[in-house]
Amino acid sequence: MAKPEPEVGKALLENWQRPLLLIGCGNMAGAMLSRWLDTGLNPSLVRVVRPSGKAVAAGVAVQATLEMPVAAGTLVLLGHKPQQLATVSAALAPLLQGADILSILAGVPVAQLREALPTAGTIIRCMPNLPVQIGAGVCLLHSEDGKDSLGGEISRLHRALGLVEWLSEEPLFDAATALSGCGPAFVYRMIDAMAQAGGALGLPGEQAQRLALATVEGAARSAMLSDTAPALMADAVASAGGMTRAGLDRLDQADGLGVLMQETLAAAQARAQALAALAKGG
Ligand SMILES: NC(=O)c1ccc[n+]([C@@H]2O[C@H](COP(=O)([O-])OP(=O)(O)OC[C@H]3O[C@@H](n4cnc5c(N)ncnc54)[C@H](OP(=O)(O)O)[C@@H]3O)[C@@H](O)[C@H]2O)c1
């Protein structure tokens, strides 16, 4: 029995009232903001600081440097690179008046953020992934006290972006980041590998890519709507002696894909420590 498709809230943020200050607005923070504006966020609540001073979206104020004090009710999104934390925090810390911080800096633990921004209110770590821009992302969240201590509003803000998962144990954050934060890139590679393999069997390249993309989208959506685990679904569609079973038998040889995926996630997770060192200026 299929589960109902989740409702995508187009107007989720229409009643959002808290000012947002984005420090850095490149690929990822820009994707988050674009989706928030699409789901009703009032652009006049948003201020962006980025060295280039480049415009972001209609109605959103942009400045090249941080000058004014940041009011206590503001939610500050750190959307720059980990290696820019020392520069940003030197400018931001004296201006913070207890404002809450939402950081998307990969690998940088909450304690390190607290050390850099001792005058902040609540500090929350977030790890989004790129599909947030179409509301189909995953956002991992962790706060200093391990929960959504700001009255549910952080969850609401992130529900506009897709699936929201709070992690109470920060040591698991980098593991989860390796899976869902980096995961889209791994899946894009798999889609490409499927398309290339179709091409090697004689299919025109563009057609093979269309087939691979639609197959992955359909497989993911049907797995999400099913009560059956994906591992069992794979076997359920592979009847004995059929084509799918012949392919799966090759894919499963020596657990090749399983081992490769474990090594892929472990390599991504291991990089987190290096990023934390970069954020310290190391
Ligand atoms: N890309 C991903 O898939 C992904 C996924 C999850 C998390 N993240 C995290 O998101 C963060 C940003 O990554 P990104 O890929 O979006 O990088 P990006 O596209 O290079 O954006 C970096 C942003 O930081 C701004 N910036 C640079 N120096 C600054 C400073 N001193 N003060 C304020 N802003 C400054 C840049 O300003 P200009 O626009 O003016 O150049 C730009 O807007 C990183 O911490 C990363 O770990 C990324």
Side-chain angles (χ1 to χ4, degrees), residues 172-217:
L172 287 181
F173 205 87
D174 295 334
T177 298
L179 201 168
S180 64
C182 311
F186 308 151
V187 175
Y188 299 147
R189 272 279 197 276
M190 267 173 44
I191 294 170
D192 183 55
M194 282 179 85
Q196 299 280 350
L201 295 181
L203 290 169
E206 284 185 15
Q207 187 175 46
Q209 188 166 306
R210 280 198 304 277
L211 295 180
L213 275 168
T215 300
V216 170
E217 184 191 17

Side-chain angles (χ1 to χ4, degrees), residues 25-28 50-52 79-82 84 88 104-106 127-128:
C25 192
N27 290 323
M28 184 44 72
R50 64 191 309 193
S52 64
H80 50 81
K81 297 274 193 190
Q84 287 145 0
V88 168
I104 62 168
L105 275 52
M127 183 47 58

